[in-house]
Amino acid sequence: MLTAHEIKESFLHLFFPHICVGCGNDILNDKNQLCLRCIESLPQTHFELSADNPIEKKFWGRLQIQSATAQYYFGKESLIQRLVHQFKYKGNKELGLQLGRLMGYSLKRSSRFDADVLIPLPLFPNKQKRRGFNQSEILCEGIAEYLQIPVLKNVITRPEHTETQTRKGRIERWKNVEGKFVLTDPVAVEGKHLLLVDDVITTGATLESCGAELLKAFSTRLHIACLCYAAR
Ligand SMILES: [Zn+2]
């Protein structure tokens, strides 16, 4: 026997079908944006299960990390690239949450990511204002559904360009702006295992400087998780 809620859901579904953003097929679960078939077709790295994976190697000799991973390989003109585009530039936050849940599921199955808190990599304030959200925050919220740990959104910031910086040389200015993060609330992360989250990792330079700033807090340990790995 169907419940009143199920009957209502079926009616709604009949008139407002819920379409997978990957393949356009009808999916039944209203919470999801991607169907199972699309999820299974994504190129998962399984890096979370192995030490010395390509993401961890990037940080060797540069940043003291406990573990690092990226969930998917980022291919050009691939499904995952389309999905990241939908999420970041078309503002499909529900899709971002689902991608975060997929990350959370993998991280939870691995014993190598014993974090206490999630830290989204901050955007420049102007960029966040234009986009309306920080994609890493959305990923964190999805991950948190599996790991059941809090998301700390205001412990580290990324200052905008300043007047004095525009007078400096181009390369120096780039270093100043790209590489600058400020830990505004060190007490909040003291003694904690942090999981720093970003959407796409290429060289790892931005994560490196953000991570180094986080490690200035007393007795913290650092893990890193990204949605995609864009190999070069
Ligand atoms: Zn699909």
Side-chain angles (χ1 to χ4, degrees):
M1 177 107 172
L2 290 168
T3 64
H5 178 74
E6 282 167 338
I7 293 168
K8 191 182 154 207
E9 288 275 292
S10 318
F11 260 108
L12 281 173
H13 193 83
L14 188 61
F15 296 107
F16 304 99
H18 190 63
I19 303 294
C20 170
V21 294
C23 64
N25 281 334
D26 193 16
I27 43 178
L28 287 166
N29 185 341
D30 278 354
K31 203 179 167 192
N32 292 336
Q33 296 283 300
L34 269 182
C35 72
L36 264 180
R37 188 179 287 199
C38 283
I39 291 171
E40 275 163 16
S41 78
L42 294 174
Q44 218 177 318
T45 65
H46 299 290
F47 286 162
E48 72 280 1
L49 300 172
S50 51
D52 303 340
N53 66 55
I55 306 297
E56 294 184 1
K57 282 184 181 164
K58 275 181 188 292
F59 296 105
W60 281 1
R62 293 162 66 188
L63 185 69
Q64 184 70 41
I65 51 164
Q66 307 303 310
S67 61
T69 186
Q71 174 89 351
Y72 301 113
Y73 291 104
F74 190 78
K76 273 192 180 142
E77 278 149 54
S78 61
L79 174 59
I80 188 71
Q81 191 198 30
R82 274 203 289 133
L83 297 177
V84 169
H85 184 84
Q86 280 290 323
F87 167 36
K88 278 170 76 172
Y89 305 108
K90 304 283 175 189
N92 190 340
K93 289 189 241 175
E94 286 297 322
L95 174 60
L97 276 174
Q98 190 180 4
L99 292 170
R101 286 195 294 273
L102 290 165
M103 289 172 77
Y105 180 76
S106 299
L107 293 167
K108 189 164 182 168
R109 277 194 316 168
S110 164
S111 56
R112 307 180 62 250
F113 292 82
D114 57 338
D116 307 311
V117 291
L118 293 160
I119 312 265
L121 188 117
L123 290 179
F124 289 116
N126 277 339
K127 195 170 206 173
Q128 181 157 348
K129 216 173 185 180
R130 276 200 306 276
R131 187 167 294 165
F133 62 96
N134 174 353
Q135 66 272 12
S136 299
E137 269 181 32
I138 308 281
L139 291 173
C140 282
E141 283 164 22
I143 295 171
E145 287 185 36
Y146 275 94
L147 298 192
Q148 298 288 311
I149 52 175
V151 183
L152 300 185
K153 295 177 183 175
N154 299 310
V155 296
I156 187 159
T157 59
R158 197 172 186 183
E160 284 314 326
H161 310 236
T162 62
E163 267 305 303
T164 49
Q165 278 167 348
T166 58
R167 268 182 256 128
K168 290 182 183 161
R170 203 158 61 96
I171 291 172
E172 200 189 335
R173 189 168 72 227
W174 181 85
K175 273 202 287 193
N176 266 329
V177 172
E178 277 303 308
K180 203 171 177 191
F181 290 87
V182 179
L183 184 60
T184 50
D185 191 357
V187 178
V189 294
E190 256 182 31
K192 298 224 161 81
H193 286 225
L194 318 176
L195 178 57
L196 177 60
V197 174
D198 198 9
D199 54 350
V200 182
I201 179 167
T202 46
T203 66
T206 314
L207 280 159
E208 181 191 343
S209 45
C210 185
E213 182 69 14
L214 286 167
L215 286 176
K216 286 181 184 170
F218 179 68
S219 186
T220 52
R221 282 165 179 266
L222 186 66
H223 304 263
I224 289 176
C226 302
L227 176 64
C228 299
Y229 170 36
R232 286 199 160 173

